[in-house]
Amino acid sequence: MKYFKKIDGERIYLSPVSIDDAEIYTKWMNDETICKNTNALARIVPLQKEQEFLNQANDILAIVRKEDDELLGNISFGRVDYHNRNAEIGLFIGEMENRHKGYGTEALKLMLDYGFNQLNFHAITLSVLSFNEEAIQCYEKLGFQVVGRIKEVMYYHNVYYDRIIMEILESDWRNL
């Protein structure tokens, strides 16, 4: 068995990542669209480095489609502060044909529920680049609010883009 259902949803489940997926992750980590959205364009990721990374990735969950157990992307909490009860969340969907189908939204809902109900977080933040309007709308629908902006952090095709910081509090999540 390649994946293990840590968190079960309607169309997807979240599983610990599999080292067997190093090749597909290497492809994604070198894909211009993904790198643009994560501000990692200058990074080159060889297969060996991705294998090493996945070998130690005990806090990253694979987003897996239930109907065919296809790996769609990943999601994780980073910068976790259990004392102050907050974390940062990040995700991506790998293949273009799997984007804009609600998989990322469902994964976020599952992780927010897990973060607030299992990990006892008070606040969850994320950052998104200003050109990624679809993602911003998705996050706002889930209850995230803009709490800050870091100006001109990304330079892409002769244009600077801002990083938008968004946050959702436990109370906001419970009131949705």
Side-chain angles (χ1 to χ4, degrees):
M1 178 178 256
K2 189 173 178 178
Y3 300 112
F4 303 90
K5 291 182 184 177
K6 173 70 177 172
I7 303 171
D8 199 14
E10 185 180 319
R11 298 183 310 142
I12 63 164
Y13 62 91
L14 306 179
S15 166
V17 293
S18 171
I19 188 72
D20 296 339
D21 291 325
E23 195 169 305
I24 187 73
Y25 276 116
T26 302
K27 174 187 170 197
W28 292 341
M29 293 297 96
N30 290 291
D31 178 90
E32 182 178 0
T33 305
I34 293 171
C35 291
K36 180 179 129 189
N37 287 334
T38 59
N39 198 10
L41 285 165
R43 220 173 69 184
I44 297 169
V45 180
L47 179 60
Q48 181 183 351
K49 287 289 183 194
E50 193 62 27
Q51 288 169 329
E52 291 169 10
F53 176 77
L54 289 176
N55 235 358
Q56 299 173 8
N58 53 4
D59 57 349
I60 298 175
L61 293 170
I63 302 169
V64 183
R65 186 170 41 221
K66 277 185 168 184
E67 72 181 55
D68 57 5
D69 289 322
E70 181 181 342
L71 176 66
L72 301 174
N74 71 27
I75 190 165
S76 65
F77 286 123
R79 297 189 175 129
V80 175
D81 181 343
Y82 288 108
H83 176 76
N84 293 302
R85 300 178 51 217
N86 60 66
E88 187 174 306
I89 196 165
L91 83 144
F92 73 86
I93 300 296
E95 300 297 334
M96 187 61 80
E97 66 264 15
N98 292 322
R99 297 179 197 158
H100 312 294
K101 295 188 175 183
Y103 297 125
T105 301
E106 185 176 349
L108 270 170
K109 286 180 182 177
L110 291 171
M111 283 294 276
L112 290 173
D113 183 67
Y114 179 66
F116 291 128
N117 292 318
Q118 301 297 317
L119 301 178
N120 198 31
F121 290 147
H122 172 69
I124 297 173
T125 60
L126 60 81
S127 67
V128 59
L129 292 161
S130 57
F131 62 78
N132 199 343
E133 294 174 15
E134 288 181 16
I136 294 167
Q137 289 174 354
C138 168
Y139 303 147
E140 288 174 337
K141 278 192 248 180
L142 290 174
F144 282 88
Q145 297 177 11
V146 174
V147 294
R149 179 180 290 263
I150 303 170
K151 298 278 190 186
E152 300 181 355
V153 297
M154 180 184 182
Y155 185 68
Y156 182 70
H157 291 284
N158 299 319
V159 178
Y160 284 99
Y161 295 97
D162 298 348
R163 174 169 299 163
I164 297 171
I165 311 301
M166 302 181 80
E167 173 183 70
I168 185 169
L169 299 177
E170 178 185 14
S171 57
D172 297 330
W173 173 251
R174 299 211 184 283
N175 290 327
L176 287 178

